[in-house]
Amino acid sequence: MPERLAEMLLDLWTPLIILWITVLPYIYMAPMAPSQVLPNGSGLGLNVLSEEQRVLNRSKRGWVWNQMFVLEEFSGPEPILVGRLHTDLDPGSKKIKYILSGDGAGTIFQINDITGDIHAIKRLDREEKAEYTLTAQAVDWETNKPLEPPSEFIIKVQDINDNAPEFLNGPYHATVPEMSILGTSVTNVTATDADDPVYGNSAKLVYSILEGQPYFSIEPETAIIKTALPNMDREAKEEYLVVIQAKDMGGHSGGLSGTTTLTVTLTDVNDNPPKFAQSLYHFSVPEDVVLGTAIGRVKANDQDIGENARSSYDIIDGDGTALFEITSDAQAQDGIIRLRKPLDFETKKSYTLKVEAANVHIDPRFSSRGPFKDTATVKIVVEDADEPPVFSSPTYLLEVHENAAINSVIGQVTARDPDVSSSPIRFSIDRHTDLERQFNINAEDGRITLATPLDRETSMWHNITIIATEIRNHSQISRVPVAIKVLDVNDNAPEFASEYEAFLCENGKPGQVIQTVSAIDKDEPKTGHFFLYSLLPEMANNPNFTIKKNEDNSLSILAKHSGFNRQKQEVYLLPIIISDSGNPPLSSTSTLTIRVCGCSSDGVVQSCNVEAYVLPIGLSMGALIAILACIILLLVIVVLFVTLRRHKNEPLIIKDDEDVRENIIRYDDEGGGEEDTEAFDIATLQNPDGINGFLPRKDIKPDLQFMPRQGLAPVPNGVDVDEFINVRLHEADNDPTAPPYDSIQIYGYEGRGSVAGSLSSLESSTSDSDQNFDYLSEWGPRFKRLGELYSVGESDKET
């Protein structure tokens, strides 16, 4: 009741207050007393008089005149009287003129230069300009000379309630979490009023909600919007429109008002658990599906949104937990069931899984609403498919000694058809992995055999691929890698690690290590290499050198004495036997070359050549080589010159008259010797092996191809020898392949049945100077002349 009474009183007094503000400028203000002096010392004063006041002559007290007031937005048929200027110097003789200058002088405000009355000739707006600063001055009417200094005063525009409140930032948007408690702050709004906040209640605002109850409320003075209902559910209604009013004059009647809208959106919180759309899911999958393939999808719906609706899926029970897995799809918010391990229709034909969906982000404020998860059952049926063969092992490792015999069995692979039909299997080797065809496989039982010899030192590992193919369906194949390791046998003898050459100083000391050598063995025994070194049995007591085995499996060669001389012996060869520790052990002999050298006093090798020992001081090895090269060149030139001279002076045909052998024609066919009773039988001079063919000449190699002559037919005994010789001479003269001394004919046939044998020296291993021809005189009278000729020739040579 008191509040209602207060509102009635305010409604009654509001019009009276407005009337008072309107009439206030017309209240009489008494003129300044003559004795009152302005702050600037001027006698200029202000009288604000209305017509009624001048008639009544109502006296009022004096005012400080430097402020005037005018009501805004006042409009009437006549200009508004703002006030009057008056000076004590004005006796009323109309000899004083009033001048007005400053803001709006002449445009907004106008002065009567005789009476000093100031009028507003335009409608004023306080919101545009609240006050005007003007300057007034009294001057002589005739001379315009100032009668007193200028005085400054202010005209203030008085406010009226002519502006409604405005929400400059509207419309507004705000959010508040759903399920918030009562009185939760949502946002605050602000309205502005252009009226004067100091003068009256024109700018005093009061806020209220026109639409939006009963969900929201607002503080009347602070404009803070709060929730008016608790536990508003976003899933029921997400968005609310609130209309807010701001009213001036303190919210009383007659005040102006402005409105705006506020859109309130409820944000989501995790207040709803996930829920599967169905409690049982059915899927089917072929048994030969690839691992990782998606079999099916399950989804739990959640009324929440965003992260609050995000769920994780798990398989919590069932007989296929080891074969299947489920992953969450962040985009679709569902669970994807994938195959984890291979399926086998023949082993198990169906599986049952229990799947759970649970919220990832749980708000503890709403945990009382129950568990934020749900479960469903998934049944998966396995479908039969024609599968490829399955090997008994995913990989095979076989071992074979490198000395294994050809066609020996290395190992075996096995495979089976997992289908119910159980097709037979055929095995083969992928020859791309066995390019050298070192292995074979039995197509029926998978036994792998050796096709070529193996050498571990060449290749220790062989990796091949075995193919298993179903005989009934050749498209069903499987592959398996087979690694074959070649085991070592002792089939390589040790030898020197490199070609060693030792150097021994002439001034070396007994027991000095000349060289340290090591051995290598291509074999690799399990216990490591261990070499035995020894000298040849016949050199076991070598007077010059001895050997010493070192702990690092190397060998040191030591000198037994000093005083080696490279002029006596420059190089020593020391054969060393190297044996390994294999079973059976193998050995080899390597020879170490030891070269005797001249060394300095500190043992640095300087020279290892014998020639260097006898070189004169100051003559280098290069100079010696150059000198020897020049000498050899000169000798070659001399030999060539002498040889050319000898060939040039040597006649082609012997012309010495005293040489009785000049008319002797030598034939390879020597005749029959003492048994030849027909000395002039031409048949004996012919080679029976060459009667029907051509006998090539053996004294030269023809440069031109010459057609063979037709062999002479056998002639009867008694043919003239002279005719035969003439024919042969004619043939020799016309033969382009014959030598220049064409009178000589040589025959390769020596006759048959001769006791003396061949007289030719063509095939003799001895020279003429080594033979003794005295035996020719013992052959009888037929060889007497021949013996004399050869004896003469021997005597000539001795002479």
Side-chain angles (χ1 to χ4, degrees):
M1 189 67 181
E3 291 82 358
R4 180 61 180 170
L5 181 62
E7 290 182 0
M8 294 175 63
L9 291 175
L10 285 174
D11 293 340
L12 180 64
W13 281 98
T14 298
L16 296 176
I17 295 173
I18 295 174
L19 178 63
W20 169 258
I21 294 172
T22 305
V23 177
L24 182 64
Y26 299 97
I27 297 177
Y28 173 74
M29 294 183 182
M32 185 181 300
S35 61
Q36 185 177 355
V37 180
L38 296 177
N40 57 3
S42 171
L44 186 64
L46 169 64
N47 287 329
V48 183
L49 302 175
S50 64
E51 296 297 331
E52 293 82 4
Q53 290 170 338
R54 267 182 277 178
V55 174
L56 296 175
N57 290 325
R58 184 179 179 181
S59 299
K60 305 294 281 187
R61 64 182 180 86
W63 295 85
V64 178
W65 78 277
N66 60 348
Q67 283 189 357
M68 295 183 181
F69 297 92
V70 61
L71 195 65
E72 70 167 338
E73 301 293 346
F74 183 84
S75 63
E78 298 294 335
I80 303 173
L81 177 63
V82 179
R84 174 181 293 176
L85 296 179
H86 181 74
T87 178
D88 295 339
L89 300 178
D90 186 3
S93 59
K94 299 181 181 181
K95 293 184 180 181
I96 296 176
K97 181 170 63 174
Y98 293 97
I99 299 174
L100 185 65
S101 63
D103 294 340
T107 58
I108 298 176
F109 301 101
Q110 195 175 44
I111 189 170
N112 189 320
D113 54 359
I114 296 175
T115 63
D117 293 339
I118 300 173
H119 292 82
I121 60 176
K122 286 186 176 181
R123 184 177 180 176
L124 300 177
D125 188 359
R126 190 198 67 84
E127 286 71 36
E128 292 182 1
K129 192 172 179 66
E131 62 181 31
Y132 298 86
T133 302
L134 299 168
T135 302
Q137 190 173 23
V139 298
D140 187 83
W141 182 267
E142 295 177 354
T143 62
N144 287 331
K145 290 184 179 180
L147 299 179
E148 58 185 22
S151 297
E152 185 179 90
F153 65 96
I154 296 173
I155 298 177
K156 289 188 175 182
V157 181
Q158 288 182 324
D159 182 50
I160 64 172
N161 190 19
D162 60 342
N163 292 280
E166 294 181 356
F167 291 92
L168 300 180
N169 298 324
Y172 295 89
H173 295 272
T175 59
V176 63
E178 64 171 334
M179 310 304 291
S180 297
I181 62 174
L182 178 65
T184 301
S185 176
V186 178
T187 186
N188 67 319
V189 296
T190 303
T192 59
D193 195 323
D195 294 327
D196 190 356
V198 178
Y199 185 75
N201 292 327
S202 299
K204 184 178 180 180
L205 305 180
V206 175
Y207 298 91
S208 62
I209 293 179
L210 302 181
E211 295 181 16
Q213 297 93 350
Y215 305 106
F216 300 97
S217 64
I218 188 169
E219 291 287 339
E221 295 181 359
T222 61
I224 297 175
I225 294 96
K226 298 181 180 180
T227 58
L229 288 178
N231 299 328
M232 287 188 290
D233 191 2
R234 184 199 66 83
E235 288 74 30
K237 186 176 181 180
E238 184 177 4
E239 194 172 84
Y240 296 86
L241 182 64
V242 181
V243 178
I244 302 172
Q245 174 186 266
K247 190 175 183 179
D248 59 11
M249 298 299 294
H252 297 291
S253 299
L256 304 178
S257 64
T259 61
T260 187
T261 59
L262 169 65
T263 301
V264 180
T265 302
L266 298 182
T267 58
D268 185 56
V269 296
N270 190 10
D271 58 339
N272 294 282
K275 185 70 176 177
F276 280 104
Q278 57 194 75
S279 60
L280 180 62
Y281 293 85
H282 292 274
F283 300 107
S284 60
V285 57
E287 64 173 331
D288 59 350
V289 70
V290 180
L291 296 183
T293 302
I295 297 173
R297 289 173 177 259
V298 296
K299 185 171 184 177
N301 298 317
D302 195 323
Q303 295 180 3
D304 298 322
I305 59 175
E307 288 294 317
N308 295 320
R310 185 180 174 187
S311 299
S312 63
Y313 295 85
D314 293 296
I315 300 174
I316 59 175
D317 196 7
D319 55 0
T321 56
L323 298 176
F324 302 95
E325 63 181 359
I326 187 169
T327 58
S328 301
D329 187 345
Q331 298 295 330
Q333 292 292 333
D334 54 7
I336 306 172
I337 300 176
R338 300 179 184 275
L339 183 62
R340 187 176 179 182
K341 292 183 179 181
L343 299 174
D344 188 6
F345 173 82
E346 290 73 23
T347 303
K348 191 173 179 60
K349 296 178 176 58
S350 65
Y351 297 90
T352 301
L353 305 175
K354 188 175 183 180
V355 179
E356 180 186 76
N359 280 150
V360 176
H361 302 285
I362 298 177
D363 194 335
R365 295 177 299 171
F366 309 105
S367 59
S368 60
R369 288 176 172 262
F372 285 80
K373 56 186 177 180
D374 194 17
T375 59
T377 302
V378 178
K379 288 190 175 181
I380 301 175
V381 177
V382 181
E383 298 176 350
D384 190 20
D386 190 6
E387 299 176 88
V390 178
F391 283 95
S392 60
S393 175
T395 59
Y396 290 89
L397 175 62
L398 306 179
E399 293 182 347
V400 58
H401 287 88
E402 61 179 323
N403 61 348
I406 303 299
N407 296 325
S408 59
V409 177
I410 299 174
Q412 184 179 15
V413 297
T414 57
R416 64 178 181 86
D417 183 6
D419 298 322
V420 178
S421 59
S422 186
S423 172
I425 306 298
R426 183 179 182 83
F427 298 96
S428 61
I429 297 178
D430 185 356
R431 291 303 177 183
H432 292 91
T433 61
D434 185 25
L435 297 176
E436 298 180 359
R437 295 182 175 270
Q438 292 183 292
F439 305 97
N440 292 325
I441 189 170
N442 189 302
E444 297 179 358
D445 59 9
R447 292 178 181 270
I448 302 174
T449 58
L450 187 62
T452 61
L454 299 176
D455 185 9
R456 189 203 64 85
E457 288 71 35
T458 302
S459 179
M460 184 176 178
W461 286 94
H462 297 273
N463 297 300
I464 62 175
T465 299
I466 304 300
I467 303 173
T469 307
E470 288 187 10
I471 295 180
R472 296 175 185 172
N473 186 0
H474 292 172
S475 63
Q476 296 295 336
I477 63 174
S478 297
R479 298 171 179 267
V480 67
V482 177
I484 301 174
K485 182 179 181 181
V486 182
L487 302 179
D488 185 39
V489 296
N490 192 25
D491 59 346
N492 291 279
E495 58 185 1
F496 276 160
S498 63
E499 293 292 334
Y500 293 102
E501 185 176 13
F503 298 96
L504 174 62
C505 293
E506 290 181 312
N507 55 356
K509 298 178 180 179
Q512 180 181 356
V513 176
I514 303 172
Q515 180 73 38
T516 299
V517 298
S518 59
I520 58 173
D521 194 331
K522 296 180 180 179
D523 298 322
E524 291 184 3
K526 295 181 179 179
T527 58
H529 289 293
F530 181 79
F531 299 120
L532 298 175
Y533 300 92
S534 62
L535 297 177
L536 290 177
E538 58 270 20
M539 299 185 66
N541 296 322
N542 191 299
N544 299 313
F545 308 102
T546 185
I547 59 176
K548 177 185 177 183
K549 175 70 180 298
N550 300 321
E551 294 181 357
D552 59 353
N553 225 14
S554 63
L555 180 70
S556 296
I557 291 87
L558 294 79
K560 279 190 173 182
H561 60 84
S562 60
F564 289 92
N565 191 337
R566 53 179 162 162
Q567 286 187 327
K568 293 182 179 179
Q569 186 169 349
E570 180 184 6
V571 177
Y572 293 89
L573 300 179
L574 184 63
I576 299 175
I577 300 174
I578 309 174
S579 303
D580 59 20
S581 56
N583 186 18
L586 297 179
S587 63
S588 67
T589 302
S590 299
T591 301
L592 177 65
T593 302
I594 303 174
R595 193 176 297 276
V596 181
C597 303
C599 304
S600 61
S601 58
D602 53 356
V604 178
V605 176
Q606 293 181 339
S607 175
C608 296
N609 297 325
V610 178
E611 291 81 359
Y613 187 78
V614 297
L615 287 179
I617 298 176
L619 188 59
S620 65
M621 182 63 69
L624 179 62
I625 293 173
I627 293 173
L628 292 176
C630 293
I631 293 174
I632 294 172
L633 181 61
L634 291 175
L635 291 176
V636 170
I637 293 173
V638 171
V639 171
L640 290 176
F641 179 76
V642 172
T643 303
L644 291 176
R645 286 292 300 271
R646 179 177 297 177
H647 282 288
K648 184 176 179 181
N649 296 332
E650 182 178 3
L652 296 178
I653 300 176
I654 301 174
K655 296 182 179 180
D656 191 357
D657 296 338
E658 296 180 359
D659 193 348
V660 296
R661 291 176 292 180
E662 61 180 354
N663 295 325
I664 296 177
I665 298 176
R666 295 190 298 168
Y667 296 92
D668 289 337
D669 297 334
E670 305 270 327
E674 291 84 351
E675 296 180 357
D676 190 3
T677 57
E678 298 179 358
F680 298 96
D681 187 2
I682 195 63
T684 60
L685 298 178
Q686 297 187 3
N687 188 348
D689 299 329
I691 293 176
N692 297 324
F694 172 71
L695 290 176
R697 299 180 56 130
K698 298 182 180 180
D699 52 341
I700 66 167
K701 182 177 181 181
D703 296 329
L704 300 174
Q705 186 67 30
F706 181 70
M707 296 301 296
R709 298 188 297 269
Q710 183 66 33
L712 296 177
V715 295
N717 295 336
V719 176
D720 189 1
V721 176
D722 183 67
E723 181 181 356
F724 174 80
I725 293 177
N726 290 333
V727 173
R728 286 304 184 111
L729 287 175
H730 177 72
E731 291 176 354
D733 292 336
N734 296 325
D735 188 358
T737 62
Y741 33 89
D742 54 3
S743 61
I744 300 178
Q745 291 291 317
I746 302 173
Y747 294 88
Y749 181 63
E750 311 234 336
R752 298 177 179 174
S754 175
V755 178
S758 175
L759 300 178
S760 173
S761 62
L762 294 177
E763 299 177 356
S764 175
S765 60
T766 57
S767 61
D768 293 342
S769 59
D770 297 333
Q771 296 184 15
N772 185 6
F773 299 97
D774 294 339
Y775 59 88
L776 295 177
S777 59
E778 301 175 358
W779 286 3
R782 295 186 178 184
F783 296 92
K784 181 178 180 182
R785 180 58 180 169
L786 186 59
E788 292 176 353
L789 291 175
Y790 274 91
S791 61
V792 172
E794 290 296 325
S795 62
D796 292 341
K797 289 181 181 180
E798 294 175 359
T799 306

